[in-house]
């Protein structure tokens, strides 16, 4: 009998060890070397380097044996960003033409022709509202909308319109036209208005790379593993190197996503798993915003977003931290699954850096999903962050490998439907 006591745990440990070992350092090195190579030119969104990375990821997703997301034929989740330039904006109020300095139209309709009978939503930016917040919120309207702006915001509105005329309205991802009209004291109540606007629209294509493993028992419940493949492209040269390779940020996270995909193909999950490499993170989280809009957040059980796991965390080897740790019991569950190992997940040690909001987990967290980012970055003192020296040579490949192994083990009870993390309280998450 005693022998069994010795042999059984040894067998179990060996089995666990063997499972973890499927995530190999040689593979970590192979994938990182491709994504962080100079010929990827820093993987800047909209640029050839990002496209090259996308093609590589598609091949890797196929080689891993993933399936496209439901309704898709391949791994490329394509969408557009739009650059717009106002050409003409004519507003008539009670029969009188109004200066174009009081009108600002966003959205990607090239031609709008509305009057008071048109089917458009009506909104206001009232005197007591925060102009910036309301503007940001309303610019994302998905329905054609006319917004009457209270004259209390006269100055800010004028400054904003000037900035748009000089620099353009910035990249947009909403297709609905939204017209902002400043109301003045002289306007009084008007019983008729009409608006005609023309703008030049440029479509800019971009894509996430996404695939899935259908769950064996609870296929309608989803767990997400994600990282972002875009980076910041060319930067000011340092010793003749101008390519920001983004090895840590976030080739390391995307490497984890690919290896976790292979791992879970070999160890099929009960819940479905979605694997995503996001685009557009560095320029505003466009990829994760688009991705999130395609899903029902209620069906998403958890998101493991992985950002910058290339170096030792401030807690040393066998450790990483989780952003927004206290917002759900996600971290506790991961910790429980790792109790038999040396690896520990810690709460984010840099709350003042707002890392919870600075990565692709934020969009789904705002919808209540336990969506957290796992990282090891020492963001307060990492001089290579967003520099041309974020290269593979500066990363600790053994450490990356052990972190990916730990993530695989820590996720087991969640992907197998035994544990369901508590939801994030939406009301405590700052909306944009
Ligand atoms: Zn990043």
């Amino acid at each position: 009998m005693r022998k069994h006591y010795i042999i059984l745990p040894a067998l179990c440990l060996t089995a666990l060890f063997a499972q973890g070992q499927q995530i190999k350092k040689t593979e970590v090195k192979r994938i990182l070397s491709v994504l962080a190579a100079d010929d990827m030119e820093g993987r800047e969104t909209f640029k050839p380097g990002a496209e090259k990375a996308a093609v590589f990821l598609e091949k890797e997703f196929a080689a891993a044996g993933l399936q496209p997301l439901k309704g898709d034929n391949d791994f490329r989740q394509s969408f557009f960003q739009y650059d717009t330039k106002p050409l003409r904006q004519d507003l008539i109020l009670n029969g009188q033409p109004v200066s174009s300095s009081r009108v600002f139209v966003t959205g990607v309709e090239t031609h709008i022709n509305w009057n008071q009978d048109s089917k458009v939503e009506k909104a206001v930016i009232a005197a007591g509202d925060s102009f910036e917040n309301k503007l940001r919120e309303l610019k994302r309207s998905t329905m054609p909308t006319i917004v009457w702006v209270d004259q209390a915001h006269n100055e800010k509105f004028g400054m904003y319109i000037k900035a748009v005329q000089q620099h353009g309205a910035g990249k947009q991802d909403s297709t609905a036209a939204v017209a902002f009209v400043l109301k003045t004291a002289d306007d009084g109540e008007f019983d008729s208005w009409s608006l005609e606007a023309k703008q030049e629209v440029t479509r800019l294509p971009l894509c996430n790379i996404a695939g899935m493993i259908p769950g064996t028992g609870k296929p309608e419940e989803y767990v997400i593993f994600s990282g972002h493949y875009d980076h910041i492209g060319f930067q000011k040269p340092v010793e003749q190197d101008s390519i920001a390779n983004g090895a840590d940020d976030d080739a390391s996270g995307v490497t984890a996503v690919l290896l976790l995909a292979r791992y879970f193909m070999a160890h099929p999950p009960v819940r479905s798993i979605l694997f995503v490499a996001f685009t557009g993170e560095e320029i505003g989280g466009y990829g994760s915003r688009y991705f999130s809009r395609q899903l029902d957040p209620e069906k998403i059980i958890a998101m493991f977003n992985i950002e910058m796991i290339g170096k030792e965390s401030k807690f040393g080897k066998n450790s990483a931290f989780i952003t927004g740790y206290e917002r759900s019991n996600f971290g506790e569950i991961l910790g429980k699954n790792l109790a038999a190992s040396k690896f520990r997940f810690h709460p984010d040690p840099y709350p003042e850096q707002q890392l919870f909001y600075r990565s692709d987990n934020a969009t789904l967290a705002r919808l209540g999903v336990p969506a957290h980012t796992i990282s090891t970055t020492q963001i307060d003192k990492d001089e290579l962050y967003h520099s041309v020296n974020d290269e593979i040579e500066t990363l600790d490949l053994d450490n990356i490998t052990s972190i990916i192994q730990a993530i695989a083990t820590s996720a087991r009870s969640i992907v197998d439907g035994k544990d369901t993390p508590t939801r994030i309280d939406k009301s405590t998450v700052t909306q944009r």
Side-chain angles (χ1 to χ4, degrees):
M1 287 301 280
R2 177 169 288 174
K3 252 186 177 170
H4 280 96
Y5 279 110
I6 298 162
I7 290 168
L8 267 180
L11 273 177
C12 291
L13 278 176
T14 312
L16 271 176
F17 191 64
Q19 277 190 10
Q21 285 306 296
Q22 290 181 357
I23 292 164
K24 291 215 169 69
K25 180 181 162 185
T26 49
E27 277 293 282
V28 170
K29 188 173 180 184
R30 177 184 70 83
I31 297 164
L32 268 175
S33 305
V34 174
L35 288 172
D38 279 353
D39 67 1
M40 291 278 171
E41 298 178 337
R43 307 186 304 276
E44 187 177 355
T45 306
F46 307 119
K47 299 283 167 64
E51 172 58 21
K52 201 166 183 179
V55 170
F56 168 72
L57 293 171
E58 286 177 302
K59 285 193 190 131
E60 289 291 318
F61 273 44
L66 296 183
Q67 297 184 10
L69 302 191
K70 273 186 200 142
D72 287 349
N73 299 319
D74 56 32
F75 301 115
R76 190 171 280 242
Q77 187 177 57
S78 297
F79 58 104
F80 292 96
Q81 287 280 286
Y82 304 90
D83 252 342
T84 61
K85 199 168 112 198
L87 298 177
R88 214 188 71 211
Q89 303 178 136
D90 296 332
L91 175 68
I92 311 284
L93 285 178
N94 288 340
Q96 297 297 314
V98 166
S99 159
S100 65
S101 66
R102 285 172 54 187
V103 188
F104 161 62
V105 180
T106 181
V108 300
E109 275 179 44
T110 51
H111 189 193
I112 71 169
N113 194 349
W114 297 344
N115 59 42
Q116 70 270 22
D117 300 321
S118 301
K119 283 210 172 92
V120 296
E121 306 271 314
K122 310 251 176 11
V124 291
I125 300 183
D129 289 337
S130 153
F131 178 75
E132 291 83 0
N133 290 350
K134 269 288 201 186
L135 179 82
R136 211 177 305 140
E137 177 194 323
L138 288 162
K139 270 171 77 180
R140 298 216 174 109
S141 301
T142 52
M143 301 288 291
T145 306
I146 187 151
V147 183
W148 302 107
V149 180
D150 190 279
Q151 59 172 327
H153 302 295
N154 184 6
E155 207 173 314
K156 282 184 172 167
F157 191 78
M159 272 163 37
Y160 184 74
I161 287 182
K162 255 192 206 133
V164 169
Q165 281 160 352
Q166 279 169 10
H167 310 291
K171 306 261 184 313
Q172 297 160 31
D173 56 3
S174 167
T175 51
V178 184
F180 295 86
V181 178
L182 185 72
K183 266 183 105 169
T184 71
D186 302 338
D187 287 342
E189 286 306 311
F190 34 79
D191 41 55
S192 75
W193 61 268
S194 69
L195 174 67
E196 206 176 323
K198 279 203 166 92
Q199 44 192 7
E200 193 180 282
V201 176
T202 313
R203 289 199 330 165
L204 304 161
L206 62 173
C207 66
N208 296 321
I209 305 300
M212 71 178 289
I213 303 175
T216 55
K218 297 180 172 177
E220 292 302 316
E221 297 179 5
Y222 297 92
V223 178
I224 298 171
F225 291 90
S226 60
H228 70 91
Y229 74 88
D230 70 301
H231 194 55
I232 54 173
F234 291 96
Q235 300 291 306
K236 209 169 109 223
V238 177
E239 288 167 13
Q240 300 183 358
D241 180 7
S242 60
I243 301 170
N245 301 73
D248 193 11
D249 185 8
D250 184 28
S252 67
V254 173
T255 300
V257 171
L258 288 178
L259 293 182
L260 288 164
R262 286 176 185 262
Y263 175 86
F264 285 113
M265 281 300 294
H267 307 274
V270 173
R271 286 175 165 142
S272 294
I273 307 184
L274 307 181
F275 299 91
V276 201
F278 291 121
T279 187
E281 192 272 347
E282 302 284 6
I283 56 169
Y286 292 109
S288 53
R289 282 226 298 277
Y290 180 82
F291 177 81
S292 304
R293 283 202 295 267
Q294 316 309 310
L295 302 170
D296 174 0
E298 296 305 317
K299 292 183 177 170
I300 305 172
I301 302 302
M303 178 194 226
F304 293 71
N305 186 55
I306 306 161
E307 258 268 28
M308 303 180 74
I309 54 165
K311 299 168 202 167
E312 246 177 61
S313 86
K314 74 178 277 184
F315 307 103
K317 288 206 186 300
N318 293 308
S319 75
F321 64 83
I322 296 175
T323 67
Y325 189 99
E326 66 294 342
R327 292 174 180 271
S328 78
N329 70 351
F330 175 88
E332 281 167 42
I333 294 171
L334 271 54
K336 182 191 77 178
N337 290 332
L338 286 168
S341 85
K342 282 184 294 187
F343 199 96
R344 292 292 173 266
F345 280 116
H346 298 264
D348 175 2
Y350 314 105
E352 72 286 353
Q353 294 269 357
Q354 302 270 333
L355 297 177
F356 180 71
Y357 293 104
R358 282 170 58 186
S359 190
D360 288 312
N361 63 292
T363 303
L364 283 170
R366 288 189 173 94
L367 299 170
V369 177
H372 300 266
T373 292
I374 292 170
S375 180
T376 61
T377 180
Q378 298 199 37
I379 192 84
D380 56 339
K381 56 179 187 197
D382 184 354
E383 286 173 4
L384 306 187
Y385 173 70
H386 279 204
S387 84
V388 297
N389 292 322
D390 180 4
E391 316 233 21
I392 186 167
E393 291 76 18
T394 68
L395 304 190
D396 179 341
L397 302 186
D398 287 307
N399 199 43
I400 298 174
T401 310
S402 73
I403 294 164
I404 302 172
Q405 288 169 355
I407 293 172
T409 306
S410 74
R412 195 73 242 179
S413 67
I414 297 178
V415 300
D416 278 350
K418 292 182 188 135
D419 279 318
T420 300
T422 51
R423 309 292 286 179
I424 283 180
D425 178 356
K426 282 184 261 190
S427 68
T428 64
V429 184
T430 311
Q431 304 292 321
R432 281 191 275 207

